[in-house]
Amino acid sequence: MKQCTDVHGADQTADASDTVAGHPHQVFRDPAGDPVVETYSITGMGHGQPVAPGSGSGSEQCGTAGSYILDVNLCAAYRLGRAWGLG
């Protein structure tokens, strides 16, 4: 987060905070007000890819839990795609 906010000229104080699937979510904006960095804090999650195989609805469901593919009720691929304006 620190490196990416520096690259985009954003400060390191979140401009928006909420929760997504019960996890803290923050958005950091550049000087023009565009969102450039988002973070999700998933308490207790080990090292791996977050998936949501049976939770949420429709497009927010994804993946199958396995080694380093962790069911934490949040689909990282879906969230990343949204942040990049895909879909």
Side-chain angles (χ1 to χ4, degrees), residues 14-27 38-41 79 82:
D15 295 295
S17 297
D18 61 359
T19 58
V20 173
H23 304 291
H25 168 242
Q26 295 182 315
V27 177
E38 291 187 53
T39 63
Y40 296 85
S41 298
R79 293 284 161 185
R82 265 187 64 181

Side-chain angles (χ1 to χ4, degrees), residues 20 51-53 55-62 73-75 78-79 82:
V20 173
V51 296
S55 45
S57 62
S59 60
E60 291 192 44
Q61 292 180 352
C62 76
N73 193 32
L74 188 132
C75 178
Y78 172 78
R79 293 284 161 185
R82 265 187 64 181

